[in-house]
Amino acid sequence: MKRIESKLNTASSEFAANAAHNRRLAEAFREKQRAVRHDRPQRDIDRLRQQNKLLVRERLELLLDPGTPFLELSSLAANEAYGGEVPGAAVVTGIGIVSGREVLINAGDGAVKGGAWYPLTVKKAVRALDIAIENRLPVVHLCDSAGGFLPLQAELFADKYYAGRIFRNQCILSKMGVQQVSVVLGHCTAGGAYVPGLSDYNVIVRGTGAIFLAGPPLVKAATGEEVSVEELGGCDMHTSVSGTADYPASSEEEAIAIARDIVAQFKRPQKTLIEYLPPEAPYYDPGELYGVLPRDIKQQFDMKEVIARLVDGSRFHEYQPNYGKTLICGYAHLWGYKIGILANNGVLFNDSSLKGAHFIELCNQNKTPILFLQNITGFMVGREYERRGITKDGAKMLMAVSCSEVPKFTVMCHGSFGAGNYGMSGRAFDSRFLFSWPQSQISVMGAEQAANTLADVKIRQLAREGKKLSQEQIDAIRDPVLGEFKRKQSAYWSTSEIWDDGMLDPVDTRNALGIALSAALNTPIADPRYGVFRL
């Protein structure tokens, strides 16, 4: 593979202005992430200390192998929900190394509303277990939850992808032979009792851990029986009488040590073999990504400059370089693993759509994982392109993306608008992992387009009634739509709603993708099979 020849002028004023702008965005993101991870009301910290409990990050430090990376998922989930009072959606999820094994971690944060499950808590936990299923990752549950947040129970209990999906996913993992261990560090009440109950192994802490379908107050209300926490579902009862729990522990430190020893007994998976070379750092400095990305979401840039700062040795074999030039396709290595890359250099035309569909087929043919780098305004529209069959050709790309058997990974680098999001393996198309960058935006169309469209519809409607709007009245329709679109197409809204698996500082993307790739190779790659391509 040839090294990409960067055309970026790192001495230009444009590069400097872009770099300064994007560094500020990255710093703001890192500060938000720091606050979400560590800032808690002192009263909540004091409450946990009085109960001899550790904070969730202290638990993770004991659980993970020293000096190994931890890919935290959806760290800013719920950052724009619930008045900002449920940082991280009250749960920490991610992929880490425990006793030399890659595992998925699902850890309740008892310092946030007692670890209560909000709707986005459930969504985050379900997504984490989906990742465990897709990538056959063993799971460690660190259980410490006050149960479902009752005022919002209608938004977390009854539907298909609500709380019951957590337990369904646990059952599917067990059916697949993917092991789970729970560490009961607090109360597991009602549905939460099934998290340890459905795990292959569980450890419970004496004095603070408890498992029951209903706590003492509800038992008294329902049956009149008066019973203590320990009698009803404490450590000694469950490890010596009911058999619901397996291992007693006298402290959180001991419980986590036992869990680490349990994970050490797990059989190491046989990784799927794909082409691999010794890893090599990019030739170009990844820090230059800040200068590559423009300040204006509408401004185009060459995605090859991004590829050059992500892949091994900055080497890239481009497929069909002279055809469908608005979509870059080709092969590279990332942390040693061979990958196929699809990256946007403009709107998707007929030729670029066909090129993308064919390249996805090639990657499936040779069992090569695919990375989608999004900066897309959509598929081209207009009479000429419809006559050429843009809908038909776009459908071919959607078919190829949907039926792809190789692991897919998506990074929203800049814009992600309209059906272009679909063609580039957006959230609905089952990428194993999808990440966003702080300045990225996603919506059905750009904010200005949406506002102008709605204003134009209203103007036409009134014109048919013989009425005419003043510019002030038009602005009154347009401006609120513009503001709401801008708010809800931002990366912060997207990650708050868990439309991605987390926001990344661009310079951390290579490492995150390396961990994701390694995890994905725990699952065999099936032979390709497609639906009907409309010819």
Side-chain angles (χ1 to χ4, degrees):
M1 295 183 186
K2 293 171 59 178
R3 181 186 300 152
I4 293 173
E5 291 186 18
S6 176
K7 296 178 174 61
L8 193 65
N9 182 3
T10 58
S12 70
S13 58
E14 180 73 7
F15 178 89
N18 286 343
H21 172 79
N22 287 302
R23 285 184 190 279
R24 284 194 297 272
L25 293 181
E27 288 166 7
F29 159 62
R30 286 186 176 278
E31 172 53 28
K32 280 181 179 286
Q33 195 173 58
R34 184 210 61 77
V36 161
R37 287 172 170 171
H38 302 292
D39 290 355
R40 298 290 182 271
Q42 190 59 46
R43 67 178 183 278
D44 291 325
I45 295 173
D46 292 343
R47 171 177 53 81
L48 293 179
R49 297 305 188 207
Q50 289 167 5
Q51 297 172 350
N52 295 318
K53 287 185 177 182
L54 300 173
L55 299 175
V56 68
R57 303 282 165 181
E58 295 170 335
R59 292 167 175 170
L60 288 175
E61 189 173 345
L62 291 173
L63 178 66
L64 295 166
D65 290 0
T68 58
F70 176 60
L71 177 59
E72 185 171 353
L73 302 170
S74 300
S75 62
L76 298 187
N79 80 92
E80 297 204 4
Y82 318 126
E85 294 183 354
V86 189
V91 61
V92 178
T93 63
I95 297 171
I97 308 298
V98 175
S99 298
R101 277 81 171 164
E102 287 174 320
V103 301
L104 189 290
I105 296 169
N106 174 35
D109 188 345
V112 179
K113 307 295 183 182
W117 289 3
Y118 283 69
L120 285 171
T121 314
V122 170
K123 186 175 182 179
K124 184 172 176 178
V126 169
R127 173 58 187 155
L129 293 178
D130 281 343
I131 288 171
I133 290 170
E134 292 163 356
N135 301 287
R136 299 194 180 186
L137 289 170
V139 181
V140 177
H141 302 274
L142 300 182
C143 306
D144 190 1
S145 171
F149 185 66
L150 292 180
L152 297 178
Q153 66 84 24
E155 299 174 42
L156 62 84
F157 173 69
D159 207 356
K160 180 175 181 178
Y161 292 101
Y162 287 2
R165 195 74 174 185
I166 295 173
F167 316 128
R168 175 267 184 192
N169 279 0
Q170 286 191 265
C171 295
I172 296 300
L173 283 165
S174 184
K175 176 182 176 181
M176 294 168 61
V178 179
Q179 293 171 299
Q180 300 171 75
V181 56
S182 285
V183 187
V184 180
L185 303 157
H187 288 190
C188 294
T189 308
Y194 292 112
V195 175
L198 290 168
S199 295
D200 300 278
Y201 305 89
N202 67 63
V203 187
I204 184 169
V205 178
R206 183 176 290 108
T208 55
I211 304 168
F212 30 55
L213 296 181
L218 185 54
V219 168
K220 183 176 181 180
T223 69
E225 180 183 12
E226 292 193 13
V227 62
S228 71
V229 167
E230 287 301 311
E231 291 174 315
L232 184 63
C235 170
D236 291 324
M237 192 283 288
H238 275 314
T239 56
S240 63
V241 178
S242 76
T244 300
D246 303 317
Y247 303 88
S250 59
S251 67
E252 293 199 5
E253 290 86 351
E254 182 186 3
I256 293 171
I258 293 170
R260 283 181 50 81
D261 198 36
I262 293 168
V263 174
Q265 315 310 313
F266 291 176
K267 183 179 179 181
R268 297 179 189 272
Q270 183 68 46
K271 295 274 189 180
T272 296
L273 296 178
I274 64 171
E275 186 177 317
Y276 182 83
L277 295 174
E280 183 181 351
Y283 177 79
Y284 299 104
D285 181 4
E288 292 174 351
L289 286 169
Y290 296 127
V292 171
L293 301 169
R295 289 154 285 163
D296 185 350
I297 197 71
K298 298 176 186 176
Q299 186 177 338
Q300 194 56 249
F301 63 97
D302 187 356
M303 194 65 86
K304 287 181 187 175
E305 300 290 356
V306 171
I307 296 170
R309 288 155 181 85
L310 291 180
V311 303
D312 291 7
S314 302
R315 289 187 295 274
F316 183 62
H317 172 86
E318 187 170 1
Y319 172 72
Q320 287 193 326
N322 295 326
Y323 179 74
K325 291 186 177 182
T326 59
L327 183 66
I328 299 169
C329 299
Y331 298 108
H333 287 80
L334 192 146
W335 279 107
Y337 298 111
K338 184 180 179 182
I339 58 171
I341 297 176
L342 287 85
N344 302 117
N345 255 7
V347 67
L348 287 165
F349 290 96
N350 299 74
D351 54 0
S352 44
S353 301
L354 292 171
K355 173 181 172 179
H358 188 66
F359 184 69
I360 291 168
E361 289 183 294
L362 294 176
C363 289
N364 275 267
Q365 181 190 60
N366 57 35
K367 300 287 202 304
T368 301
I370 303 173
L371 171 62
F372 293 84
L373 299 176
Q374 287 196 5
N375 178 32
I376 181 64
T377 56
F379 290 91
M380 191 61 191
V381 298
R383 182 175 62 181
E384 176 187 352
Y385 299 99
E386 291 295 353
R387 289 174 67 86
R388 292 184 191 177
I390 186 63
T391 300
K392 184 170 65 171
D393 293 339
K396 292 185 182 73
M397 190 170 180
L398 295 186
M399 183 66 73
V401 170
S402 301
C403 298
S404 177
E405 293 287 353
V406 299
K408 304 189 298 280
F409 309 87
T410 304
V411 180
M412 294 193 291
C413 300
H414 207 51
S416 180
F417 298 109
N421 169 272
Y422 301 161
M424 292 297 293
S425 197
R427 191 60 151 173
F429 290 80
D430 296 326
S431 285
R432 298 290 184 90
F433 297 86
L434 186 150
F435 302 108
S436 60
W437 286 353
Q439 86 296 341
S440 66
Q441 296 180 14
I442 177 171
S443 62
V444 70
M445 62 178 71
E448 288 81 5
Q449 292 168 295
N452 290 336
T453 298
L454 290 176
D456 187 56
V457 168
K458 188 66 174 178
I459 291 166
R460 289 173 183 271
Q461 177 187 341
L462 293 174
R464 288 194 297 269
E465 299 171 2
K467 300 176 184 178
K468 187 176 181 180
L469 293 176
S470 67
Q471 187 59 48
E472 185 176 292
Q473 290 171 315
I474 293 172
D475 290 343
I477 296 170
R478 184 180 182 277
D479 291 349
V481 175
L482 183 64
E484 187 70 355
F485 250 77
K486 284 185 174 179
R487 184 171 79 91
K488 291 190 175 180
Q489 72 183 22
S490 77
Y492 283 103
W493 179 270
S494 177
T495 205
S496 177
E497 293 294 307
I498 318 180
W499 296 347
D500 60 24
D501 293 313
M503 192 184 292
L504 297 175
D505 185 329
V507 299
D508 293 333
T509 305
R510 173 178 161 83
N511 288 343
L513 289 173
I515 295 170
L517 264 165
S518 176
L521 294 177
N522 290 325
T523 300
I525 299 174
D527 292 329
R529 181 179 177 184
Y530 303 98
V532 175
F533 287 92
R534 181 175 291 277
L535 301 175

